Amino acid sequence: MQATITYTQCPVCDSGDIHSFSQVKDFSVSGNIFAVWKCNSCSGMFTQYAPSQQVIGKYYENENYISHTENAKGLVNSLYLKARKITLRSKLSLIKKYTRKNTGKLLDYGAGTGAFAAFVKSMGWQSEGIEPSEAARNTALKNNKIVLLEPEKLSSLENRSYDVITLWHVLEHIHDLKSTFQNIISKLK
């Protein structure tokens, strides 16, 4: 089983003109340090030596990964959940501004525990979500009363059926960025 993914080309534009840019530490779950590389062609940045799909789950299936647990214990978690309430409105305002729509059909890709999908639904939108973590999908149903689909279901969704598809804090988690984006784009009206 491959533990990490090594890119020889930019996962955004396929350019081979990539280089080491920075290192970042995962303070919330693993304590691991990750290499961030940058593409000279498109300026995209990505995690080099990223955990493979076979092992990435351990980073998300952790009680310290707040966006999948909704754990309000402790000051940081409590502040996160309070800030999220504010950002939900801000995100919807951005959508309304750029789409010029007050309602429509929305798909939230990488929906976590479904907070955003549930919020936009409460504001009159048709809302669906996709989330790879089974635990997060279960929490979405329990806490936010929203059913989230597995990523494999994206292909079976109707083409040109969504007004908006959101990906909040998701790009760094997608392993096959180009193919996933092509699939997502095909779902937009």
Side-chain angles (χ1 to χ4, degrees):
M1 179 179 351
Q2 182 183 4
T4 61
I5 298 168
T6 303
Y7 293 100
T8 57
Q9 295 177 295
C10 174
V12 178
C13 74
D14 289 331
S15 170
D17 193 6
I18 59 176
H19 66 278
S20 177
F21 178 76
S22 181
Q23 291 190 340
V24 295
K25 184 173 182 175
D26 171 13
F27 286 99
S28 66
V29 176
S30 69
N32 292 352
I33 295 175
F34 293 95
V36 176
W37 282 42
K38 185 173 183 175
C39 175
N40 288 328
S41 294
C42 73
S43 297
M45 289 189 254
F46 55 93
T47 304
Q48 183 67 287
Y49 319 117
S52 68
Q53 279 187 298
Q54 292 83 7
V55 298
I56 192 109
K58 72 178 183 178
Y59 292 92
Y60 307 124
E61 305 300 330
N62 184 300
E63 67 182 33
N64 294 327
Y65 193 66
I66 183 66
S67 63
H68 281 189
T69 63
E70 296 198 356
N71 177 355
K73 294 177 186 169
L75 179 63
V76 172
N77 290 356
S78 178
L79 289 173
Y80 170 85
L81 293 175
K82 287 179 181 172
R84 184 175 70 184
K85 287 181 182 179
I86 296 166
T87 62
L88 293 176
R89 291 195 181 284
S90 297
K91 290 173 180 179
L92 184 55
S93 291
L94 280 172
I95 289 168
K96 288 179 177 182
K97 176 182 175 182
Y98 289 106
T99 64
R100 296 189 174 124
K101 292 181 178 289
N102 288 318
T103 61
K105 189 172 180 184
L106 179 139
L107 176 67
D108 188 25
Y109 190 94
T113 58
F116 183 68
F119 174 73
V120 297
K121 187 174 185 176
S122 75
M123 301 303 287
W125 288 70
Q126 290 179 11
S127 178
E128 297 177 82
I130 291 183
E131 171 56 44
S133 167
E134 182 179 2
R137 290 192 309 269
N138 291 338
T139 301
L141 183 58
K142 179 182 172 192
N143 293 2
N144 293 310
K145 310 295 185 258
I146 192 153
V147 175
L148 302 177
L149 304 172
E150 298 172 2
E152 298 78 31
K153 302 288 186 187
L154 177 64
S155 295
S156 64
L157 297 176
E158 186 179 344
N159 285 343
R160 296 181 300 282
S161 61
Y162 294 91
D163 296 298
V164 176
I165 300 177
T166 57
L167 296 94
W168 306 107
H169 310 284
V170 171
L171 296 181
E172 68 274 22
H173 305 279
I174 298 175
H175 283 84
D176 187 358
L177 193 61
K178 202 168 198 180
S179 174
T180 301
F181 259 60
Q182 288 170 344
N183 203 351
I184 287 171
I185 290 167
S186 74
K187 306 307 173 193
L188 286 168
K189 287 183 181 176

